[in-house]
């Protein structure tokens, strides 16, 4: 999670929403990191999780990322949760819940919905207060 938090700090430092993510393979090796780039790239899909998933797929040469764990500072949105399922990520670990957009446990349960062809093992609340505080500080400064 510390790697994802470092990526979120990078996002914050370039005036992006401070969300970071990293993907770890079965042996514990970091295979990709990402941070929000929606403003930088003028791309509404450039969320931290999507950036990390794209980089990991490129690095391993396969869109299926079985056996991997995705760490992200905030509960993924609908788009990101769907991408996590489609990539066959084995485990998701996230920091703070997202009351407005969270699609893993808060508003929806995309990652463990039995109607889908893949389910992800989810661990929530890791360094949640640190992740939440980073988001709150960022948005308070813009109001």
């Amino acid at each position: 999670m510390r790697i994802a938090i470092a990526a979120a700090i990078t996002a914050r430092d370039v005036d992006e929403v401070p969300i970071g993510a990293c993907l770890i393979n079965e042996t514990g090796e970091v295979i990709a990191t990402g941070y929000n780039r929606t403003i930088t790239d003028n791309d509404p899909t450039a969320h931290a999780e999507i950036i990390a998933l794209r980089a990991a797929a490129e690095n391993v040469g396969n869109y299926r990322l079985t056996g991997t764990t995705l760490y992200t500072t905030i509960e993924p949105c609908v788009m990101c949760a769907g991408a996590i399922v489609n990539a066959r990520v084995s485990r998701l670990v996230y920091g703070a819940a997202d009351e407005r957009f969270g699609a893993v446990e808060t508003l929806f349960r995309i990652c463990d919905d039995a109607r889908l062809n893949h389910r992800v093992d989810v661990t929530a609340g890791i360094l949640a207060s640190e992740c939440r505080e980073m988001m709150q500080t960022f948005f308070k400064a813009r109001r």
Side-chain angles (χ1 to χ4, degrees), residues 37-58:
R37 298 181 49 92
T38 56
I39 297 165
T40 302
D41 293 354
N42 293 309
D43 179 356
T45 70
H47 290 193
E49 299 91 338
I50 300 295
I51 299 294
L53 290 169
R54 287 175 182 162
E58 181 71 25

Side-chain angles (χ1 to χ4, degrees), residues 73-112:
T73 56
I74 302 296
E75 179 182 4
C77 69
V78 170
M79 174 184 67
C80 293
I84 291 164
V85 170
N86 282 319
R88 311 301 197 278
V89 170
S90 297
R91 183 171 179 233
L92 168 67
V93 178
Y94 71 86
D98 187 342
E99 294 80 24
R100 293 182 63 217
F101 297 103
V104 175
E105 295 179 317
T106 302
L107 300 176
F108 304 103
R109 296 197 64 100
I110 292 174
C111 289
D112 63 1

